[in-house]
Amino acid sequence: MSEITIRTAAPEDAAAILDIYRYYIQKTAITFEITVPSAAEFQARITAILKQYPYLVSIRNNTIVGYAYAREFVGREAYNHSVELTIYLSPAEKGRGTGRKLYAALEQKLAAQGILNLYACIADPPVEDEYLNHNSENFHAHLGFTKVGTFHKCGRKFNRWYNMIWMEKLLGPHPDSPLH
């Protein structure tokens, strides 16, 4: 098996990253996004995130096979030490340790920025079906995230209602005077 490398994404990676994300939009309820964004729109998203937070890609055999990034959580200054995380892997890459490696690299970069709280917004099926299961929740729990809330039947895709859960991971102690 070839080795995974992880590097910072570049706006020029948008088409390859969007190829991964397109699968999740069209074939799953993992994302509540329904319309595939244009490559230009996706490139703009990457560029905007990179201004403040890490956006990483995983590469196997010179091909991007996954990506993960952090983005602003809520948008108020008091939340400056918290971020929302997103991760997607090409379907063939699941179960190979790539997600764990991406999140470890992301956590390291975020900790260096003074981020203390990580949040993941995860689609959650009331009953597992062909579009959504509990794998994302289980993945996050395995990495130390704790479920902190459920929004019931808040997303509708494929003519079905889905829940959304929030999971949280604290990277370390919360000092009275954070460093950053």
Side-chain angles (χ1 to χ4, degrees):
M1 174 172 21
S2 62
E3 193 64 30
I4 277 288
T5 58
I6 295 172
R7 66 162 170 79
T8 298
E12 299 77 33
D13 296 324
I17 294 169
L18 185 55
D19 281 344
I20 294 169
Y21 190 46
R22 178 179 289 106
Y23 168 82
Y24 291 95
I25 294 170
Q26 295 176 335
K27 306 284 186 191
T28 79
I30 290 171
T31 177
F32 286 169
E33 194 153 11
I34 293 172
T35 303
V36 177
S38 69
E41 181 183 343
F42 213 71
Q43 189 174 44
R45 291 181 189 184
I46 294 168
T47 299
I49 290 167
L50 284 170
K51 288 179 182 175
Q52 187 170 359
Y53 298 106
Y55 198 127
L56 305 176
V57 293
S58 56
I59 300 168
R60 187 184 302 279
N61 297 326
N62 298 314
T63 300
I64 293 175
V65 295
Y67 65 97
Y69 62 86
R71 68 176 168 203
E72 183 178 58
F73 179 73
V74 179
R76 301 283 188 271
E77 190 175 351
Y79 293 110
N80 282 351
H81 298 282
S82 300
V83 294
E84 180 183 345
L85 302 183
T86 298
I87 185 168
Y88 288 96
L89 303 176
S90 61
E93 199 63 28
K94 291 179 189 174
R96 300 179 80 179
T98 303
R100 183 176 23 83
K101 289 176 185 174
L102 268 170
Y103 258 18
L106 196 58
E107 285 182 21
Q108 184 178 26
K109 289 181 178 294
L110 291 166
Q113 284 184 239
I115 300 299
L116 297 171
N117 295 24
L118 308 178
Y119 295 99
C121 178
I122 300 168
D124 184 62
V127 175
E128 289 191 5
D129 61 27
E130 68 271 29
Y131 301 112
L132 188 62
N133 56 38
H134 294 287
N135 288 354
S136 186
E137 179 181 3
N138 295 338
F139 166 77
H140 284 83
H142 181 71
L143 295 180
F145 285 74
T146 303
K147 185 174 170 182
V148 293
T150 302
F151 292 81
H152 298 95
K153 297 183 179 179
C154 64
R156 186 161 173 79
K157 193 169 178 181
F158 305 118
N159 296 314
R160 298 170 190 186
W161 288 104
Y162 293 101
N163 299 338
M164 181 263 297
I165 63 172
W166 280 95
M167 296 186 78
E168 169 187 67
K169 181 176 182 177
L170 305 180
L171 290 182
H174 289 62
D176 289 337
S177 298
L179 300 175
H180 301 280

PDB file of all heavy atoms in Angstrom, residues 78 81 111 114-117 170-180:
ATOM      1  N   ALA A  78     -15.955  36.201  20.721  1.00  0.00           N
ATOM      2  CA  ALA A  78     -15.781  35.362  21.910  1.00  0.00           C
ATOM      3  C   ALA A  78     -15.521  33.897  21.559  1.00  0.00           C
ATOM      4  O   ALA A  78     -15.024  33.146  22.393  1.00  0.00           O
ATOM      5  CB  ALA A  78     -17.000  35.467  22.824  1.00  0.00           C
ATOM      6  N   HIS A  81     -11.531  30.935  19.918  1.00  0.00           N
ATOM      7  CA  HIS A  81     -10.730  29.751  20.266  1.00  0.00           C
ATOM      8  C   HIS A  81     -11.474  28.455  19.937  1.00  0.00           C
ATOM      9  O   HIS A  81     -11.113  27.387  20.408  1.00  0.00           O
ATOM     10  CB  HIS A  81     -10.320  29.807  21.740  1.00  0.00           C
ATOM     11  CG  HIS A  81      -9.467  30.998  22.036  1.00  0.00           C
ATOM     12  ND1 HIS A  81      -8.128  31.039  21.722  1.00  0.00           N
ATOM     13  CD2 HIS A  81      -9.775  32.214  22.534  1.00  0.00           C
ATOM     14  CE1 HIS A  81      -7.644  32.222  22.046  1.00  0.00           C
ATOM     15  NE2 HIS A  81      -8.625  32.953  22.543  1.00  0.00           N
ATOM     16  N   ALA A 111      -4.021  23.751  17.276  1.00  0.00           N
ATOM     17  CA  ALA A 111      -3.481  23.972  18.617  1.00  0.00           C
ATOM     18  C   ALA A 111      -2.409  25.057  18.583  1.00  0.00           C
ATOM     19  O   ALA A 111      -2.349  25.908  19.478  1.00  0.00           O
ATOM     20  CB  ALA A 111      -2.928  22.669  19.187  1.00  0.00           C
ATOM     21  N   GLY A 114      -3.787  28.420  18.829  1.00  0.00           N
ATOM     22  CA  GLY A 114      -4.489  28.753  20.061  1.00  0.00           C
ATOM     23  C   GLY A 114      -5.939  28.290  20.085  1.00  0.00           C
ATOM     24  O   GLY A 114      -6.716  28.705  20.938  1.00  0.00           O
ATOM     25  N   ILE A 115      -6.301  27.409  19.168  1.00  0.00           N
ATOM     26  CA  ILE A 115      -7.664  26.870  19.158  1.00  0.00           C
ATOM     27  C   ILE A 115      -7.773  25.815  20.256  1.00  0.00           C
ATOM     28  O   ILE A 115      -6.910  24.952  20.396  1.00  0.00           O
ATOM     29  CB  ILE A 115      -7.994  26.251  17.775  1.00  0.00           C
ATOM     30  CG1 ILE A 115      -7.897  27.304  16.676  1.00  0.00           C
ATOM     31  CG2 ILE A 115      -9.370  25.568  17.800  1.00  0.00           C
ATOM     32  CD1 ILE A 115      -8.844  28.479  16.808  1.00  0.00           C
ATOM     33  N   LEU A 116      -8.853  25.899  21.028  1.00  0.00           N
ATOM     34  CA  LEU A 116      -9.049  24.976  22.139  1.00  0.00           C
ATOM     35  C   LEU A 116     -10.248  24.042  21.961  1.00  0.00           C
ATOM     36  O   LEU A 116     -10.272  22.948  22.505  1.00  0.00           O
ATOM     37  CB  LEU A 116      -9.233  25.769  23.442  1.00  0.00           C
ATOM     38  CG  LEU A 116      -8.030  26.621  23.861  1.00  0.00           C
ATOM     39  CD1 LEU A 116      -8.397  27.512  25.034  1.00  0.00           C
ATOM     40  CD2 LEU A 116      -6.843  25.741  24.201  1.00  0.00           C
ATOM     41  N   ASN A 117     -11.263  24.477  21.226  1.00  0.00           N
ATOM     42  CA  ASN A 117     -12.490  23.694  21.061  1.00  0.00           C
ATOM     43  C   ASN A 117     -12.699  23.355  19.595  1.00  0.00           C
ATOM     44  O   ASN A 117     -12.677  24.248  18.740  1.00  0.00           O
ATOM     45  CB  ASN A 117     -13.710  24.480  21.535  1.00  0.00           C
ATOM     46  CG  ASN A 117     -13.700  24.768  23.018  1.00  0.00           C
ATOM     47  OD1 ASN A 117     -12.660  24.790  23.657  1.00  0.00           O
ATOM     48  ND2 ASN A 117     -14.868  25.007  23.566  1.00  0.00           N
ATOM     49  N   LEU A 170     -12.206  18.927  23.138  1.00  0.00           N
ATOM     50  CA  LEU A 170     -11.393  19.979  23.739  1.00  0.00           C
ATOM     51  C   LEU A 170      -9.927  19.579  23.583  1.00  0.00           C
ATOM     52  O   LEU A 170      -9.543  18.470  23.947  1.00  0.00           O
ATOM     53  CB  LEU A 170     -11.748  20.162  25.212  1.00  0.00           C
ATOM     54  CG  LEU A 170     -13.236  20.430  25.499  1.00  0.00           C
ATOM     55  CD1 LEU A 170     -13.477  20.605  26.991  1.00  0.00           C
ATOM     56  CD2 LEU A 170     -13.739  21.625  24.721  1.00  0.00           C
ATOM     57  N   LEU A 171      -9.132  20.496  23.036  1.00  0.00           N
ATOM     58  CA  LEU A 171      -7.722  20.186  22.768  1.00  0.00           C
ATOM     59  C   LEU A 171      -6.838  20.298  23.993  1.00  0.00           C
ATOM     60  O   LEU A 171      -5.716  19.801  23.983  1.00  0.00           O
ATOM     61  CB  LEU A 171      -7.184  21.090  21.667  1.00  0.00           C
ATOM     62  CG  LEU A 171      -7.716  20.831  20.269  1.00  0.00           C
ATOM     63  CD1 LEU A 171      -7.061  21.765  19.267  1.00  0.00           C
ATOM     64  CD2 LEU A 171      -7.493  19.378  19.859  1.00  0.00           C
ATOM     65  N   GLY A 172      -7.296  20.942  25.024  1.00  0.00           N
ATOM     66  CA  GLY A 172      -6.463  21.085  26.208  1.00  0.00           C
ATOM     67  C   GLY A 172      -7.161  21.957  27.225  1.00  0.00           C
ATOM     68  O   GLY A 172      -8.322  22.337  27.072  1.00  0.00           O
ATOM     69  N   PRO A 173      -6.426  22.312  28.267  1.00  0.00           N
ATOM     70  CA  PRO A 173      -7.023  23.156  29.320  1.00  0.00           C
ATOM     71  C   PRO A 173      -7.349  24.548  28.776  1.00  0.00           C
ATOM     72  O   PRO A 173      -6.754  25.009  27.806  1.00  0.00           O
ATOM     73  CB  PRO A 173      -5.930  23.211  30.395  1.00  0.00           C
ATOM     74  CG  PRO A 173      -4.675  22.845  29.714  1.00  0.00           C
ATOM     75  CD  PRO A 173      -5.041  21.975  28.543  1.00  0.00           C
ATOM     76  N   HIS A 174      -8.290  25.182  29.424  1.00  0.00           N
ATOM     77  CA  HIS A 174      -8.725  26.517  29.058  1.00  0.00           C
ATOM     78  C   HIS A 174      -8.195  27.522  30.083  1.00  0.00           C
ATOM     79  O   HIS A 174      -8.846  27.768  31.090  1.00  0.00           O
ATOM     80  CB  HIS A 174     -10.247  26.568  28.969  1.00  0.00           C
ATOM     81  CG  HIS A 174     -10.808  25.837  27.808  1.00  0.00           C
ATOM     82  ND1 HIS A 174     -10.669  24.478  27.619  1.00  0.00           N
ATOM     83  CD2 HIS A 174     -11.498  26.291  26.753  1.00  0.00           C
ATOM     84  CE1 HIS A 174     -11.256  24.124  26.496  1.00  0.00           C
ATOM     85  NE2 HIS A 174     -11.762  25.198  25.938  1.00  0.00           N
ATOM     86  N   PRO A 175      -7.014  28.086  29.818  1.00  0.00           N
ATOM     87  CA  PRO A 175      -6.416  29.012  30.770  1.00  0.00           C
ATOM     88  C   PRO A 175      -7.214  30.317  30.869  1.00  0.00           C
ATOM     89  O   PRO A 175      -7.975  30.657  29.965  1.00  0.00           O
ATOM     90  CB  PRO A 175      -5.016  29.276  30.207  1.00  0.00           C
ATOM     91  CG  PRO A 175      -5.155  29.009  28.734  1.00  0.00           C
ATOM     92  CD  PRO A 175      -6.198  27.939  28.616  1.00  0.00           C
ATOM     93  N   ASP A 176      -7.038  31.029  31.965  1.00  0.00           N
ATOM     94  CA  ASP A 176      -7.732  32.307  32.135  1.00  0.00           C
ATOM     95  C   ASP A 176      -7.303  33.320  31.067  1.00  0.00           C
ATOM     96  O   ASP A 176      -8.075  34.167  30.667  1.00  0.00           O
ATOM     97  CB  ASP A 176      -7.461  32.889  33.524  1.00  0.00           C
ATOM     98  CG  ASP A 176      -8.165  32.078  34.616  1.00  0.00           C
ATOM     99  OD1 ASP A 176      -9.159  31.385  34.295  1.00  0.00           O
ATOM    100  OD2 ASP A 176      -7.711  32.140  35.759  1.00  0.00           O
ATOM    101  N   SER A 177      -6.047  33.222  30.611  1.00  0.00           N
ATOM    102  CA  SER A 177      -5.538  34.122  29.585  1.00  0.00           C
ATOM    103  C   SER A 177      -4.938  33.302  28.442  1.00  0.00           C
ATOM    104  O   SER A 177      -3.749  32.952  28.488  1.00  0.00           O
ATOM    105  CB  SER A 177      -4.463  35.038  30.157  1.00  0.00           C
ATOM    106  OG  SER A 177      -5.006  35.842  31.176  1.00  0.00           O
ATOM    107  N   PRO A 178      -5.746  32.960  27.428  1.00  0.00           N
ATOM    108  CA  PRO A 178      -5.191  32.187  26.302  1.00  0.00           C
ATOM    109  C   PRO A 178      -4.012  32.897  25.646  1.00  0.00           C
ATOM    110  O   PRO A 178      -3.926  34.133  25.657  1.00  0.00           O
ATOM    111  CB  PRO A 178      -6.372  32.088  25.336  1.00  0.00           C
ATOM    112  CG  PRO A 178      -7.582  32.260  26.179  1.00  0.00           C
ATOM    113  CD  PRO A 178      -7.168  33.215  27.267  1.00  0.00           C
ATOM    114  N   LEU A 179      -3.104  32.129  25.065  1.00  0.00           N
ATOM    115  CA  LEU A 179      -1.887  32.688  24.475  1.00  0.00           C
ATOM    116  C   LEU A 179      -2.152  33.462  23.201  1.00  0.00           C
ATOM    117  O   LEU A 179      -1.416  34.376  22.871  1.00  0.00           O
ATOM    118  CB  LEU A 179      -0.895  31.553  24.194  1.00  0.00           C
ATOM    119  CG  LEU A 179      -0.460  30.756  25.427  1.00  0.00           C
ATOM    120  CD1 LEU A 179       0.420  29.580  24.989  1.00  0.00           C
ATOM    121  CD2 LEU A 179       0.285  31.644  26.395  1.00  0.00           C
ATOM    122  N   HIS A 180      -3.148  33.094  22.440  1.00  0.00           N
ATOM    123  CA  HIS A 180      -3.376  33.737  21.144  1.00  0.00           C
ATOM    124  C   HIS A 180      -4.662  34.522  21.147  1.00  0.00           C
ATOM    125  O   HIS A 180      -5.627  34.158  21.675  1.00  0.00           O
ATOM    126  CB  HIS A 180      -3.432  32.686  20.017  1.00  0.00           C
ATOM    127  CG  HIS A 180      -2.184  31.878  19.922  1.00  0.00           C
ATOM    128  ND1 HIS A 180      -1.052  32.334  19.311  1.00  0.00           N
ATOM    129  CD2 HIS A 180      -1.893  30.648  20.382  1.00  0.00           C
ATOM    130  CE1 HIS A 180      -0.117  31.411  19.364  1.00  0.00           C
ATOM    131  NE2 HIS A 180      -0.610  30.379  20.023  1.00  0.00           N
TER     132      HIS A 180
END
